[in-house]
Amino acid sequence: MLPVDQMIEAALQHLLSGHGEARGLAHLLATRWPDQPVLEVIFAMTCAASTIETELASPRDREIAIETWRMAALLAVDLYGMRHRDLPAVTAADLLAYWQQHDGFFLPG
């Protein structure tokens, strides 16, 4: 299984388990797969959101999908911010470094 497929599976498990939120998912994926391209974190989140949106129908599932779409969009904004500041923006580890230095929104706690 490719890392991105593992990321999507982990994202779905995280979101549907009832134990995690979309905001925490970004940190989970970046921490678990720091060497993967940062766009794969965003892709995994959007794939999970799309899967939940199209395959599940409860109001709670719709809320989860919408919130995951929002968090994926915010990750894209972070990526733009990284590039705008001429910071490395290649891997998920770069994303973690950006959060620690510039924007802690996705950091736990």
Side-chain angles (χ1 to χ4, degrees):
M1 181 181 291
L2 295 173
V4 71
D5 294 328
Q6 294 172 348
M7 293 169 81
I8 295 166
E9 185 177 316
L12 286 166
Q13 288 175 357
H14 176 84
L15 294 168
L16 297 175
S17 70
H19 300 298
E21 297 176 326
R23 184 173 174 179
L25 175 59
H27 185 265
L28 172 85
L29 295 176
T31 301
R32 197 175 289 175
W33 288 278
D35 296 328
Q36 291 306 112
V38 66
L39 286 175
E40 286 189 9
V41 175
I42 297 169
F43 181 74
M45 291 182 70
T46 59
C47 286
S50 179
T51 299
I52 292 168
E53 185 176 59
T54 58
E55 295 186 20
L56 303 171
S58 78
R60 178 185 171 275
D61 294 329
R62 286 190 185 124
E63 288 177 26
I64 290 169
I66 290 168
E67 188 62 16
T68 304
W69 283 114
R70 287 181 185 148
M71 293 302 111
L74 287 176
L75 283 178
V77 171
D78 282 353
L79 182 57
Y80 176 81
M82 293 163 72
R83 291 185 175 167
H84 182 72
R85 291 183 165 124
D86 292 324
L87 297 171
V90 178
T91 67
D94 295 332
L95 192 57
L96 290 166
Y98 176 77
W99 293 338
Q100 291 169 352
Q101 295 173 2
H102 300 283
D103 184 357
F105 178 79
F106 286 105
L107 295 176

